[in-house]
Amino acid sequence: MPGSKTFFGKYHSKEYINERRHLRGLLGYYIKYIPMSWGVRLGLSSGILTRYGVELTPNVFDATFRMCCEGGYGTFLTSYLVDYEKPFIMLDIGANQGLFSLLAAQNTNCQQVIAFEPVASTFQLLKQNIELNLATSRIKAVQAAVSDHTGQAKIFLSKTHSGGASLSQNTVHSDEKTEEIQTISAQQLDEMITDEIDIVVKLNAEGHEETVIKELIKTSFFPRVQSIFYERDVRWSDPNMLKNLLEEQGFKSFRRVGHEPRLDVLASREPDDI
């Protein structure tokens, strides 16, 4: 029959099969977590326990939440934060719903976590999750983005992935909307940190990493920053730019986790063999 090959070809194409798998995966999440969400709303449970051992407020339609629940971020950074052996302060820049802030706060060597999240709806989830895990005394939530000026900025938001929020237009996709947010710069950061101890930074800025790191370098505490865990995506940033910038500041080790085009880097002042 004319057109039959095209018709059946569509439903056996790689794109169609991948789309169906994606939809089935989402359905599985909804079946698994929506009943728990109802339980939370009815007061029958406090939250959803993730594979990382922290509880999160249900947010089942968000890809970031689902990755937290299923252990999708791996164990490299989580182990690093939980096992850090000296007193430290963590700066969680782009904290989202708070997974890494909560994990750092479980380490008795962690004196304080300062969690920056600029998007209003995500910030509310962050605060709820801090309270849910009884961590209000150890985690300070700041509703702002770190940038090169203090004031306002427009951030781009993904409808289905809160972790895709970005101040960089290079990462914008067609399904995104915008929101006005507060930004802070080096002067405000300096006012937040007074303790003379190690600082660990987790940075998730979706294309805004260079701006954030340059602002961190301006602070008086930057010489105490021992490590920076950041995301690198060759689709919108120079893969060597951040490495060169941090090498100039005395960072010697750059351990990569994942695969191109998008991977994570742990930059440390200590060389690998120590």
Side-chain angles (χ1 to χ4, degrees), residues 9-226:
K10 171 185 176 182
Y11 292 99
H12 288 83
S13 68
K14 181 178 180 181
E15 292 79 8
Y16 179 77
I17 292 171
N18 287 338
E19 180 180 354
R20 295 286 293 179
R21 286 174 177 168
H22 175 67
L23 291 174
R24 286 198 300 270
L26 288 179
L27 180 60
Y29 277 111
Y30 300 157
I31 291 172
K32 181 175 182 179
Y33 291 122
I34 283 180
M36 297 183 188
S37 304
W38 293 338
V40 170
R41 291 169 183 169
L42 292 172
L44 302 177
S45 61
S46 56
I48 292 176
L49 183 64
T50 70
R51 290 194 178 180
Y52 294 104
V54 301
E55 292 190 41
L56 296 181
T57 302
N59 187 24
V60 295
F61 295 100
D62 176 51
T64 301
F65 169 81
R66 298 195 300 270
M67 288 182 68
C68 292
C69 287
E70 295 299 316
Y73 292 105
T75 59
F76 180 78
L77 177 58
T78 59
S79 297
Y80 182 83
L81 294 172
V82 171
D83 297 336
Y84 200 87
E85 295 181 345
K86 294 189 292 182
F88 73 101
I89 294 171
M90 180 192 180
L91 301 184
D92 192 351
I93 301 175
N96 201 272
Q97 290 151 78
L99 173 66
F100 295 106
S101 291
L102 294 167
L103 289 169
Q106 291 180 351
N107 186 336
T108 56
N109 290 314
C110 182
Q111 306 302 299
Q112 185 184 34
V113 178
I114 306 177
F116 300 90
E117 174 51 51
V119 178
S121 58
T122 309
F123 181 76
Q124 291 304 313
L125 288 169
L126 170 63
K127 290 202 303 180
Q128 291 173 26
N129 292 333
I130 293 172
E131 294 173 0
L132 187 62
N133 289 271
L134 306 178
T136 54
S137 64
R138 309 196 71 187
I139 303 175
K140 177 181 179 179
V142 178
Q143 189 176 349
V146 176
S147 193
D148 55 4
H149 70 284
T150 298
Q152 304 288 322
K154 180 169 66 174
I155 195 167
F156 299 91
L157 309 175
S158 170
K159 295 178 181 178
T160 59
H161 185 12
S162 61
S166 176
L167 288 167
S168 173
Q169 292 190 11
N170 294 332
T171 67
V172 175
H173 301 290
S174 59
D175 68 334
E176 291 178 337
K177 59 181 181 178
T178 62
E179 178 179 316
E180 287 292 321
I181 61 163
Q182 183 71 32
T183 61
I184 60 174
S185 55
Q187 181 179 350
Q188 289 72 40
L189 290 173
D190 263 332
E191 294 171 356
M192 295 178 185
I193 299 180
T194 57
D195 293 342
E196 298 287 330
I197 59 176
D198 286 1
I199 297 170
V200 173
V201 177
K202 188 229 81 183
L203 170 58
N204 187 350
E206 295 293 311
H208 202 58
E209 288 82 6
E210 179 182 4
T211 299
V212 174
I213 289 178
K214 285 182 176 179
E215 204 62 26
L216 287 172
I217 290 171
K218 296 177 187 178
T219 65
S220 61
F221 62 74
F222 190 74
R224 301 199 305 278
V225 174
Q226 299 302 311

